[in-house]
Amino acid sequence: MTPEHHYSVDVEWLGNRGTGTSHYLDYGRQGLLTAAGKHDIEVSADKTFHGDRDRWNPEELLLAALAECHMLSFLHVAVLHGLVVTAYTDAATGTMVQQGDGGRFTSAELHPVITLAVAEGAASPSEEEFAALHREAAEKCFIANSVNFPVGHSPRLVVA
């Protein structure tokens, strides 16, 4: 039997300015994401779509989920290969195209910078080995395996 994992979040729209959705410009796009035992996340549409730029939008949340999932998968892969990661950052980017009133992501690119502690006299991974570790992490990432657009990786290795 394949293990299943179930998740639950609540979304509440906070943008009723008194007349609901009576007109496209008459309502706010603000909302609140909540989940039991977690901090609330204030959300909105992207500013382009009349949202609040101070709140997370769905596009940023999707990109954040991809970047975080890859980070967690890479950390796991590092342990499996006996590598000691001491720092990890990513400046992920994504491209979405608008098609009529809808749209879709066409790509995402992760730019992780990983610092490894390498013992004196030990060899750090080659560029090919480092790229292979990222491919392995990508194969293990639940979120990247759930989207229908390419998620690329432009990693940089720093040896401490």
Side-chain angles (χ1 to χ4, degrees), residues 16-141:
N16 185 349
R17 296 177 181 150
T19 61
T21 57
S22 59
H23 184 271
Y24 182 69
L25 296 178
D26 288 345
Y27 66 95
R29 276 59 172 180
Q30 299 82 4
L32 191 64
L33 292 180
T34 59
K38 305 277 195 302
H39 295 285
D40 296 349
I41 300 175
E42 294 180 337
V43 296
S44 183
D46 185 303
K47 181 68 176 163
T48 303
F49 307 112
H50 305 285
D52 183 343
R53 74 175 71 234
D54 296 328
R55 294 174 177 237
W56 286 85
N57 64 56
E59 297 81 11
E60 291 167 329
L61 291 168
L62 176 60
L63 193 56
L66 286 165
E68 181 184 2
C69 187
H70 186 79
M71 176 188 72
L72 295 170
S73 296
F74 185 86
L75 296 174
H76 175 70
V77 167
V79 169
L80 294 176
H81 289 271
L83 299 172
V84 178
V85 175
T86 59
Y88 186 113
T89 61
D90 193 347
T93 57
T95 301
M96 186 185 79
V97 296
Q98 213 173 326
Q99 298 166 322
D101 286 341
R104 65 183 195 87
F105 268 79
T106 57
S107 67
E109 186 73 21
L110 306 181
H111 303 274
V113 177
I114 293 102
T115 303
L116 295 180
V118 177
E120 192 172 321
S124 61
S126 68
E127 284 186 35
E128 291 168 356
E129 292 167 330
F130 192 58
L133 294 169
H134 280 281
R135 284 192 299 276
E136 184 178 343
E139 291 170 4
K140 295 180 183 315
C141 176

